[in-house]
Amino acid sequence: MATSNAPSAAVLLEAPAEKRRLTTWEFWGLMLIVPYVALFVLFVLYPVIYGFWLARHPHSYIDLIDDPIFFRTVINTLIFVVVGVLIKMALALGLSGFFMQTRPWIRWLSVLFILPWAVPSIPTILSVRFMLNPEWGMINTQIFRLTGEDGPNWLNDPTLALALAMAMHIWKSLPFWTLILLAGRLSIAGDLYEAASMDGATRWQKFLHVTWPSMQALFLTCTFLSMIWTIGDFNSVYLLTGGGPADLTHVLATLGIRYLRLDRVDMAMATIIFAMPLILPLVYIMMKRFSK
């Protein structure tokens, strides 16, 4: 009698294996994750979704484009980001080489250099705004009057006011990026510089053939990240100029306050959404660089 290779009925009717239960450590691990998920939903996901919902009507964007201040704000934002970041990162790269020196007075100078970044923005920027006051500010009353002339009205000229806001942004954030690039310089092996010195390389040749190839990836990553943060810089413009004079120094990060004062919450949120075409490409490039 031939034997059959087919599975027996007992095997076919066998009950499925019992599902594995969570261990005590796995259970409490999941319980610890729950608060973080709740905070993410409450403080990140919900505000983003609610903001899109507030700016869901097309007429909000039509009113925003029809506002002549909006196009001036877009131009201000582009100038603020491009010029500010280029100057800031170029200065940070040069100063990182300066602070590489081991002289004692340079170490003390580095402590003073870090202070603008370490001190909170509100008191420092407001103090500069008071100094620039044309009537009782220190610059006009103590410096310009020594020459017998009245100082200019610093914040009454839109071009000058935006340039001063850009200078405030550079002054506040320059120490941070200098420290990052200084750390990158310190990670370069000293043997490379010794070999370059033996070959008779000048300081510029050392930078061009040793320092820059070793720091190029770090510098570009810092530049893209700085552009993202600069687009969202609210304090430098709002605390110094308030968007004035005549709302001509607003950037996208501060324009929403103007619409909130006009009781147009939808236009304020639409302003933020209009900034996304500037931010999302930079975020994508950053993620691509991090993935490598």
Side-chain angles (χ1 to χ4, degrees), residues 196-211:
S197 299
M198 294 179 62
D199 292 337
T202 62
R203 300 182 70 176
W204 169 249
Q205 290 173 333
K206 291 179 183 178
F207 171 80
L208 192 62
H209 299 289
V210 178
T211 305

Side-chain angles (χ1 to χ4, degrees), residues 223-244:
T223 301
F224 287 123
L225 185 59
S226 177
M227 292 179 72
I228 295 173
W229 289 354
T230 304
I231 293 174
D233 184 12
F234 175 86
N235 294 331
S236 299
V237 176
Y238 192 77
L239 294 178
L240 187 67
T241 69

Side-chain angles (χ1 to χ4, degrees), residues 160-219:
L160 182 59
L162 184 63
L164 289 172
M166 194 183 308
M168 284 302 307
H169 168 78
I170 295 172
W171 178 66
K172 283 290 294 179
S173 57
L174 180 61
F176 174 79
W177 297 113
T178 302
L179 286 177
I180 298 297
L181 296 180
L182 177 60
R185 283 180 180 266
L186 292 175
S187 65
I188 302 174
D191 296 341
L192 298 176
Y193 291 106
E194 293 178 4
S197 299
M198 294 179 62
D199 292 337
T202 62
R203 300 182 70 176
W204 169 249
Q205 290 173 333
K206 291 179 183 178
F207 171 80
L208 192 62
H209 299 289
V210 178
T211 305
W212 177 247
S214 302
M215 294 183 58
Q216 183 178 5
L218 175 64
F219 181 82

Side-chain angles (χ1 to χ4, degrees), residues 37-259:
V37 175
L39 291 174
F40 175 80
V41 173
L42 184 62
F43 294 105
V44 178
L45 192 60
Y46 173 74
V48 172
I49 296 176
Y50 185 62
F52 277 103
W53 183 81
L54 289 174
R56 68 190 185 279
H57 296 298
H59 67 76
S60 302
Y61 301 93
I62 296 175
D63 294 342
L64 183 64
I65 294 175
D66 290 339
D67 189 352
I69 300 298
F70 173 71
F71 283 103
R72 177 62 181 256
T73 300
V74 173
I75 295 174
N76 289 344
T77 303
L78 294 175
I79 295 174
F80 190 84
V81 172
V82 175
V83 178
V85 170
L86 288 177
I87 294 176
K88 173 176 56 180
M89 297 309 297
L91 289 175
L93 183 62
L95 289 173
S96 64
F98 172 76
F99 286 113
M100 281 280 292
Q101 303 179 63
T102 58
R103 299 175 184 176
W105 66 273
I106 292 182
R107 295 180 181 179
W108 288 105
L109 182 62
S110 64
V111 175
L112 298 176
F113 179 71
I114 294 174
L115 284 179
W117 171 67
V119 176
S121 298
I122 293 177
T124 53
I125 298 178
L126 287 180
S127 64
V128 173
R129 180 172 181 171
F130 297 153
M131 291 168 59
L132 294 174
N133 187 282
E135 298 178 359
W136 44 265
M138 184 189 72
I139 295 179
N140 282 5
T141 58
Q142 302 296 328
I143 298 177
F144 272 88
R145 289 188 180 177
L146 293 176
T147 63
E149 298 180 359
D150 294 332
N153 194 341
W154 298 94
L155 302 179
N156 198 41
D157 179 26
T159 303
L160 182 59
L162 184 63
L164 289 172
M166 194 183 308
M168 284 302 307
H169 168 78
I170 295 172
W171 178 66
K172 283 290 294 179
S173 57
L174 180 61
F176 174 79
W177 297 113
T178 302
L179 286 177
I180 298 297
L181 296 180
L182 177 60
R185 283 180 180 266
L186 292 175
S187 65
I188 302 174
D191 296 341
L192 298 176
Y193 291 106
E194 293 178 4
S197 299
M198 294 179 62
D199 292 337
T202 62
R203 300 182 70 176
W204 169 249
Q205 290 173 333
K206 291 179 183 178
F207 171 80
L208 192 62
H209 299 289
V210 178
T211 305
W212 177 247
S214 302
M215 294 183 58
Q216 183 178 5
L218 175 64
F219 181 82
L220 294 177
T221 301
C222 290
T223 301
F224 287 123
L225 185 59
S226 177
M227 292 179 72
I228 295 173
W229 289 354
T230 304
I231 293 174
D233 184 12
F234 175 86
N235 294 331
S236 299
V237 176
Y238 192 77
L239 294 178
L240 187 67
T241 69
D247 294 323
L248 294 178
T249 60
H250 274 299
V251 293
L252 289 175
T254 63
L255 184 62
I257 296 297
R258 175 178 182 268
Y259 295 127

